[in-house]
Amino acid sequence: MSTFPKAVIFDLDGVITDTAEFHFLAWKQLGEELGIEVDRELNEQLKGVSRLQSLERIIAAAPEQRVLPTEELQRLAAKKNVHYTQLIQSVSPDDILPGIDTLIKELRIGGIKLAVGSASRNAQFVLERLELTGAFDYVVDAANIKYGKPDPETFIHAADYLNVPYEACIGIEDSAAGIEAIKRAGMFAVGIGSKESLRQADYLVPTTNYLDMITILAKFSQWNSEA
Ligand code: BG6
Ligand code: MG
């Protein structure tokens, strides 16, 4: 087994840029309209999860049981997306989270392939706003993924496209669903966040500031030699 990774698959929202906060704000406002409180704890369960599934989790958190027809669910999800797309109009290269630019550049110099594995149908737009479209060898199109995170399909699909064995891939995620997806794909999982939410991560840092290529490579190599 190689002790050197061949590809790194980045999540977008909450890893490359702080759009996770915009998703939260948009869900919170929709929740208020529905009389359901979307707090940070509930939000942890929405991270990485598709738009419709997130809405279903919010509805399930209502104090009383609610059953909404599919058309109503779709209308509400579309409404949240209108708000979210307004919020991301202002995204610029200044919004790339600390440490990400350097990490991307260093991995490139190291000859490691790079992909984005996002659940968001707005991923291409956000990457354009960040002026990062050319930085990746592949961007998973969420519209072509049948099973969202925590299913491993997003990561498997990226690795297959890049023609890299799964155990030679590193996934970077800020969501519990995403870390589970990486692990189910048989890859090395770097988590950004708290131990409480990202228990399954192989290597955890509190924020992107702490992402450092040399350390990540060393942790990967250690994981690989233990496997
Ligand atoms: C993920 C976010 O990246 O994309 C989730 O973490 C979001 O919060 C999901 O629900 C889907 O995004 P979108 O932009 O298609 O609604
Ligand atoms: Mg995320």
Side-chain angles (χ1 to χ4, degrees):
M1 226 188 252
S2 164
T3 56
F4 206 71
K6 292 191 166 61
V8 175
I9 305 163
F10 288 78
D11 174 44
L12 174 67
D13 297 320
V15 170
I16 293 176
T17 186
D18 200 14
T19 35
E21 197 58 21
F22 290 154
H23 281 294
F24 172 59
L25 292 175
W27 284 128
K28 197 172 164 52
Q29 181 164 317
L30 190 80
E32 274 161 24
E33 288 167 31
L34 294 169
I36 304 169
E37 194 194 349
V38 179
D39 58 16
R40 298 252 169 212
E41 197 184 333
L42 174 56
N43 189 53
E44 282 307 312
Q45 291 161 45
L46 310 179
K47 285 184 183 174
V49 172
S50 78
R51 198 179 305 163
L52 215 52
Q53 257 190 307
S54 299
L55 177 60
E56 282 164 1
R57 288 186 186 188
I58 291 169
I59 308 275
E64 78 299 337
Q65 205 197 339
R66 293 189 200 181
V67 182
L68 299 182
T70 311
E71 305 80 64
E72 180 62 358
L73 289 174
Q74 272 160 356
R75 188 188 70 79
L76 292 169
K79 191 173 184 189
K80 178 265 176 178
N81 192 51
V82 168
H83 185 190
Y84 177 71
T85 46
Q86 282 165 359
L87 295 172
I88 56 177
Q89 295 306 314
S90 62
V91 170
S92 80
D94 290 343
D95 296 309
I96 298 172
L97 283 168
I100 294 293
D101 239 344
T102 309
L103 183 63
I104 289 174
K105 284 188 187 115
E106 289 178 351
L107 290 168
R108 269 250 165 272
I109 293 167
I112 295 168
K113 291 179 182 173
L114 303 178
V116 172
S118 172
S120 172
R121 290 173 184 237
N122 295 294
Q124 286 289 359
F125 177 80
V126 172
L127 286 170
E128 276 165 31
R129 297 287 321 169
L130 296 170
E131 297 179 14
L132 277 182
T133 28
F136 296 95
D137 299 295
Y138 187 58
V139 178
V140 173
D141 187 342
N144 296 333
I145 295 300
K146 199 163 169 210
Y147 304 106
K149 302 167 190 177
D151 188 277
E153 187 182 359
T154 302
F155 292 92
I156 297 274
H157 180 74
D160 286 349
Y161 180 90
L162 298 173
N163 201 19
V164 170
Y166 308 140
E167 69 276 11
C169 291
I170 294 176
I172 309 183
E173 267 286 352
D174 69 320
S175 70
I179 294 286
E180 184 181 334
I182 297 169
K183 290 318 298 166
R184 283 167 63 183
M187 300 174 182
F188 181 76
V190 176
I192 296 165
S194 70
K195 178 88 194 152
E196 214 181 23
S197 330
L198 308 179
R199 237 170 274 281
Q200 271 190 285
D202 295 302
Y203 172 52
L204 190 68
V205 291
T207 68
T208 57
N209 291 280
Y210 294 82
L211 288 172
D212 160 61
M213 186 182 73
I214 302 297
T215 314
I216 294 172
L217 296 187
K219 298 279 179 189
F220 172 85
S221 168
Q222 194 185 338
W223 169 78
N224 230 323
S225 60
E226 284 164 4

